[in-house]
Amino acid sequence: MTTKRYSEAALRALIESFGNPIYVAQEGRVRMANEAYCDMLGLGREQVEGRFFLDFVHPEDRARFEERYRQRQLGTLTEPDPRRYVLPPRPGREPCELAVHVQEVELEESGRAALITGVVLGARPAELEVAERLVETSAELVAARSEDAVRRVAQVGLTTAGLSARFLVRDGEHFTARDGATPPAHGELGLRALSEGRPVFGPFQGGVTPVYLPLGTTLSEVLWVCGMGLSPSFGSVLALFAKVVGAALTDARLLADVERGRWEMVAVAEAARFVAQPEPPSPEDFLSRLATLLGADAVLLYVPASPEGELVLTAQVGLDGALRDVLAAPLGGMSPSSAVARGAVLSTQAEESVLLAASGGRLGCGAAMRLMHGGHARGLLQVLRPPGRPFSGADLRLLGPLSELLMTLLDQRRLRSESARQLADTRLLLDLARTTTATLEVASILDVASDFLVKLLDVSNCFILLHDEQAGVLRGAAASATHRDFFRGVVISVDEPVSIAARVARERRPLAIPDLSQVAELENRELVRRFEEKAVLALPLTSREELIGVVLLDDTRRPRTFEAAFVELAEATCGQIALAIANARLYESLWASYAELAAARAEMVKRERLAALGELSAIVAHEVRNPLGVIFNAVASLRRMIKPDGDAGMLLDILAEESDRLNRMVGDLLDYTLPREPILQQEDVLKVLQDAVDAAKALQGGTNPRISLSTEVAPELPRVPLDRRLIRQALVNVLVNAIQSMPQGGLVRVSARSEPHGGKELLRIDVADHGCGIPTELVHRVFEPFFTTKAQGTGLGLAVVKRIIEEHHGEMSLESAPGRGTTFTFRLPLTQPTSPP
């Protein structure tokens, strides 16, 4: 191809003759340009010629244009002309495209140059403009990571393209707008678009045409677009964009599910670590963490009060006092019982209305999850939010493992509580065993056992009655501290028809009454009213098939169901108590047998000693009294013969007194040592006392006028079996000592009455004086034979008195305070067999 040669003037005249933009480029610069090119650029000729032609190319297209120019210069350009280029925008005009053709020319003055002829292309189709905008928007959708972000980017892109858009969600046969605005009419067109899977255009109204676009991945949502000039020619572009949006929504949903799943795994792992602490947290602490994870304002835990009981509010977070009281009761369909029956549920509109009204507008959305254990419903977990923040299926999915962790926590706390209770019970049982084995007194065992049962079984009171087989009654023996003194006087006949204790004693099996108010014949019982009992458990105390007594356990706080495990524990404890009582009674019986044996042995030894001493005393008395008789006769003869006076008379008096004292000593010794058996006859106690008082006065040669003796006998005192002579002798000995202890005068009071002592009714005789008393260190020796503090005493008087009382199967004691007097007390049986006449 030949290159034409032009002069510069000829070439300029040539290009000016054309109306389309033309310019000549040489060595990269604009050598000349026609007026049309300058007008296209909006610049003057002097602003164009001489500058690099690349300055007038769109910046984004400059690199491509420069590369083509370089290839043309090297002769390697193979692409045909024309090419399209974008011109830079200028004020008041959008960027435009220019189709160019390049031809080589030669200037006579300067050599080769490029003649570039351009044709300005017309405006592009609206569909292409929209398509370009939507392509850009589609690229932006890739970066959107949530459904809300996808919808927001799509709406912004459509708005940039001059269109209005709205996402519509299917609700039955109608649609609702996601942004809460009023949905457009012609919802049937949206249903048609979903069913046919293609764009459906609506009627032209108000200068705009709507179109319903299915998103392709869901049958519950459409993209509604409207704008001026929309026509079916836009259908393919908009349909493709809708599919891109649908795919982006699917990706965002999957990404959200993955993120949610990862977050749920982390949340569940953290909750599991929280539950697995060495010291399990409280339910309230776990509920607080759960509320944070689910964004809930309140979390409630309902568990049954008993295995078959109704659900009650056990723990909660986020509720104040008044609202807690309201939600403790069932609320419509969200009631604990119905939710447990339904499993995992989200609140319905009706339920939300009830919740909204009950909470005063604070709470309006809820979800509930059934707590399972061993295949059975064991409670309910309920989470609540304010109105307008409903829970989703994902929330319900997360609530599942969290509820299982909560059930695990409750089981851990229950097991720890049971272990602690069992340990405490074991310690209490060990304490009871130690206490009952450490003492062999029945009264002490029963007091400890009653207090122990109250603590072990968490009851209000414990009462223990012992069986008196001979009398056919149950006698109150012990009770918990509050009623201990009163209950020891309670006596219940075993044959009492409506008595709980009597019935258990007859049937010998436990009897539980959960609510005494439901048993009319028991509600008005005196003890039930006195102790204000609401529930009672009665258990027999048995050992080797022998009834020992009955244990009564009550609850004064509320009616109470006594579970099988509770009754078994109570029976086991009562069995241990019964065994301890039986062992104590056996020990008491054995000890009594040993005591009786020791007493019998001591009595036998005593009798043998006294018999030997009696024989010796009889020999001594015989050998002593014979010389004494000679002495008495000699003294009497001397007094008749010589009529002694002065020293001789004094010596004879001393001889007579000492001989008389020696004679009395021999008599006392015979009284103490000679064996005798009291002759018991029914005697009038007053008469016996009066005879003794008169004899004591006579022995003292008449009563000192400053000493008075009084006798006082209870009027209801019956006749008593005793040996009148021996008791009179014993009283005389004590009265003489009392009179001798008051040389300055005073009152000696003799009294008699009956009194219970050691489980028996006895005759009590007191001889009280106001003498000098007995020193404390000598009290324990006053009944020893031959012990005396008197110059003329034999030391056998009180020993004889003690022997006489013991021969009557009685006992003798004394109380003495130095300087204030002494009281001797005789206790004799009121009833014992009399001696034959």
Side-chain angles (χ1 to χ4, degrees), residues 687-705:
K687 188 173 182 181
V688 172
L689 297 185
Q690 193 60 51
D691 288 348
V693 169
D694 294 341
K697 291 178 180 179
L699 285 175
Q700 294 300 310
T703 306
N704 185 334

Side-chain angles (χ1 to χ4, degrees), residues 427-457 459 461-464 466 477-482 484 488 541 551 553 573-574 576-578 580-581 584:
R427 287 175 175 172
L428 288 173
L429 289 172
L430 181 59
D431 290 341
L432 176 64
R434 288 173 178 170
T435 304
T436 53
T437 54
T439 179
L440 291 171
E441 295 181 2
V442 174
S444 299
I445 292 174
L446 294 180
D447 287 342
V448 170
S450 58
D451 293 336
F452 168 80
L453 286 172
V454 170
K455 184 185 301 183
L456 174 66
L457 302 175
V459 293
N461 298 297
C462 172
F463 306 99
I464 301 178
L466 295 183
S480 46
T482 309
R484 185 164 292 164
R488 284 184 174 137
L541 287 174
V551 174
L553 305 171
T573 309
C574 289
Q576 186 174 351
I577 294 172
I581 295 173

Side-chain angles (χ1 to χ4, degrees), residues 183-204:
H186 307 291
E188 69 279 0
L189 298 180
L191 296 175
R192 181 179 167 189
L194 287 175
S195 63
E196 297 179 4
R198 65 178 182 84
V200 176
F201 287 83
F204 180 79

